[in-house]
Amino acid sequence: MEIRVQEDPFDLGAEANAFAARQTGMGAVVTFTGIVRDIEGGLDMMEIEHYPGMTEKAIAGIAGEALDRWSLGDVLVIHRHGKLAAEDLIMMVATSAPHRVDAFQAAEFLMDYLKSRAPFWKKEVAGGSEGWVAAKDEDEDALSRW
Amino acid sequence: MEIRVQEDPFDLGAEANAFAARQTGMGAVVTFTGIVRDIEGGLDMMEIEHYPGMTEKAIAGIAGEALDRWSLGDVLVIHRHGKLAAEDLIMMVATSAPHRVDAFQAAEFLMDYLKSRAPFWKKEVAGGSEGWVAAKDEDEDALSRW
Amino acid sequence: MDVLYFAWVRERIGHPKDTVDSTASTVRELVEELRGREERYAVAFADLDALRVAVDQELTDFDAPLAGAREVAFFPPMTGG
Amino acid sequence: MDVLYFAWVRERIGHPKDTVDSTASTVRELVEELRGREERYAVAFADLDALRVAVDQELTDFDAPLAGAREVAFFPPMTGG
């Protein structure tokens, strides 16, 4: 399991290649990448706050549960905080598994839990005004399938 | 939609970065990569046969159906044929979407259909003997969920 | 009409392609004609449940009509991905 | 005991952290004490349904006991990923 919470950008391609290269006997690698959307138009900045100390611990708990539930090779989670612009990469997960179903399920599980159970909060700054992104009921509901 | 059927290796990281970079307004990018497994130990080679002419057409049909069913930005499919060794990358798909559920669902749909409906056949060569990989009932059954 | 074979179907028959002059009106009738050619064809086409067929590069079934078809391909269940 | 605030809870209260000397036995009792401090605390804690709480960096609920707790954090529902 590898977890990185960082302010710096990350390189999706380099991470995906390095992750895939260090697997053996894994027939499937899945990656998910989250990207800043300028939904209304005119987004100046997205600022992501987190809870230092708790964040890594919460993500490690989620990743550990994924490793328990599915037959996986490894799990990678990278999540940025601080100031981001539209089209910047926010975060990524990668999973490897002997079989594709496990890799997909684990990646979806990680995303559902990272959305609602890891201590990050997104604020959008656009046209001089700012607002916290509201949690969506559908994201909370998504947890019930696991 | 971009579809490539090729004998040459491909660079997962370069493809993932290029795919993500050409999206706009897509909050989610999912990639799946299929890798040669040496299941029994001693795999000398995997040889993938395909049906030139039909292959691209069949994949385009599957990708088109994914684009119809989900709200997607784009779909990429790369599939190799010819001789591969253990741990070589066989194929990848990438999907982008405004929301993660669409990107995940479309990638799983593509994989389920590529497994059983695109004209590729895998042969394993190990210790001087060779055998065609048998299709799995579970792969055929996986189609029924869509 | 071109008849193509892939994977173990190709290996059992011994070559990847035949050009046939057939009066078969369905894939199933074409299979009957091919079975009658030689023992290795009979072996390759022994169990239709183990085979798939494409007519003009579209997956179909053994009851598909052949009127106007230019290319028929036989192969085992696919194992891509 | 350290009490931390994140996102709009932090903004409404005006600072990220208080060090409190509390006799509260549950999170809910701590919230009552904080509400009594100043108007901006009352505003921040007006609707507990809009808040989440972690005790010693573990998510929990408002009925959680505080015996031995060193750090309590209040924040809105998380929006990671």
Side-chain angles (χ1 to χ4, degrees):
Chain A
M1 170 190 324
E2 184 177 342
I3 292 160
R4 303 210 306 266
V5 180
Q6 62 188 47
E7 198 158 352
D8 290 336
F10 63 89
D11 182 325
L12 162 62
E15 298 294 344
N17 272 349
F19 182 81
R22 64 178 180 261
Q23 311 304 317
T24 306
M26 298 294 129
V29 168
V30 169
T31 71
F32 177 92
T33 309
I35 302 171
V36 178
R37 293 171 69 206
D38 182 3
I39 299 172
E40 308 278 327
L43 183 77
D44 298 314
M45 185 178 78
M46 171 172 278
E47 190 156 13
I48 301 179
E49 183 170 334
H50 80 122
Y51 182 171
M54 178 173 165
T55 313
E56 284 86 349
K57 213 181 298 184
I59 298 175
I62 295 166
E65 176 133 5
L67 288 163
D68 284 347
R69 283 192 184 213
W70 289 279
S71 175
L72 300 177
D74 200 6
V75 168
L76 165 71
V77 179
I78 301 173
H79 204 302
R80 295 184 64 191
H81 59 90
K83 295 176 167 53
L84 287 81
E87 306 300 335
D88 281 357
L89 307 190
I90 303 171
M91 53 82 64
M92 72 175 285
V93 305
T95 58
S96 66
H99 301 289
R100 75 186 186 285
V101 173
D102 296 282
F104 270 124
Q105 292 265 298
E108 291 190 60
F109 172 90
L110 287 168
M111 287 310 305
D112 283 352
Y113 274 83
L114 288 170
K115 277 269 166 194
S116 307
R117 292 291 182 272
F120 292 99
W121 300 274
K122 293 191 183 107
K123 178 194 267 188
E124 292 174 333
V125 181
S129 71
E130 53 179 55
W132 293 94
V133 173
K136 290 181 193 148
D137 288 343
E138 68 197 58
D139 285 331
E140 189 64 31
D141 295 346
L143 301 183
S144 64
R145 64 172 163 150
W146 304 110
Chain B
M1 174 191 319
E2 184 177 341
I3 292 160
R4 303 211 306 267
V5 179
Q6 63 187 48
E7 198 157 352
D8 291 336
F10 63 89
D11 182 326
L12 162 63
E15 298 294 343
N17 272 349
F19 182 81
R22 64 177 179 261
Q23 312 303 317
T24 306
M26 297 295 128
V29 168
V30 169
T31 71
F32 176 92
T33 308
I35 302 171
V36 179
R37 293 170 70 205
D38 182 2
I39 298 173
E40 308 280 326
L43 183 77
D44 299 313
M45 186 177 79
M46 171 172 279
E47 189 156 12
I48 302 178
E49 183 170 335
H50 80 120
Y51 182 171
M54 178 172 165
T55 314
E56 285 85 349
K57 214 182 295 183
I59 299 175
I62 295 166
E65 176 132 7
L67 288 162
D68 283 346
R69 284 192 184 213
W70 289 280
S71 175
L72 300 178
D74 200 7
V75 167
L76 166 71
V77 178
I78 301 173
H79 204 301
R80 294 184 64 192
H81 59 91
K83 295 175 167 53
L84 286 81
E87 307 301 334
D88 281 356
L89 307 191
I90 303 171
M91 54 82 64
M92 72 175 285
V93 306
T95 57
S96 66
H99 301 289
R100 74 185 186 286
V101 173
D102 297 282
F104 270 124
Q105 292 265 299
E108 292 191 59
F109 172 90
L110 287 168
M111 286 311 305
D112 283 352
Y113 274 83
L114 289 170
K115 277 267 165 198
S116 307
R117 291 293 182 270
F120 292 99
W121 300 275
K122 293 191 183 105
K123 177 194 267 186
E124 292 173 332
V125 181
S129 70
E130 52 180 54
W132 293 95
V133 174
K136 290 182 193 147
D137 287 344
E138 68 197 59
D139 286 331
E140 188 64 30
D141 295 347
L143 301 183
S144 65
R145 63 172 165 150
W146 304 111
Chain C
M1 177 165 59
D2 288 336
V3 182
L4 310 184
Y5 314 110
F6 292 97
W8 58 252
V9 183
R10 173 180 54 69
E11 289 179 340
R12 285 188 197 175
I13 288 172
H15 50 252
K17 181 174 161 181
D18 285 308
T19 301
V20 305
D21 200 11
S22 168
T23 58
S25 63
T26 66
V27 173
R28 202 177 296 276
E29 287 178 26
L30 175 64
V31 168
E32 282 311 315
E33 289 183 9
L34 293 167
R35 275 176 176 154
R37 284 193 155 205
E38 286 177 55
E39 177 64 16
R40 58 205 162 98
Y41 285 87
V43 170
F45 288 102
D47 178 14
L48 289 194
D49 285 344
L51 292 178
R52 300 291 179 268
V53 61
V55 173
D56 288 336
Q57 307 188 348
E58 292 276 354
L59 279 175
T60 184
D61 56 58
F62 288 89
D63 296 318
L66 288 181
R70 291 170 306 157
E71 184 173 299
V72 180
F74 296 100
F75 40 78
M78 292 152 277
T79 54
Chain D
M1 177 165 57
D2 288 336
V3 182
L4 310 184
Y5 314 110
F6 292 97
W8 59 251
V9 184
R10 172 180 55 70
E11 289 179 340
R12 285 186 197 175
I13 287 170
H15 51 252
K17 180 174 162 182
D18 284 309
T19 302
V20 305
D21 200 12
S22 168
T23 58
S25 62
T26 66
V27 173
R28 202 176 296 277
E29 287 178 27
L30 175 64
V31 168
E32 281 312 315
E33 288 183 11
L34 292 167
R35 274 175 175 154
R37 284 191 155 207
E38 285 178 56
E39 178 64 14
R40 58 207 163 95
Y41 286 86
V43 169
F45 289 101
D47 178 13
L48 289 194
D49 285 342
L51 292 178
R52 300 290 179 269
V53 60
V55 173
D56 289 336
Q57 305 186 350
E58 293 275 354
L59 280 175
T60 185
D61 57 58
F62 288 89
D63 295 319
L66 288 181
R70 290 169 307 155
E71 184 173 299
V72 179
F74 296 100
F75 40 78
M78 292 152 277
T79 54

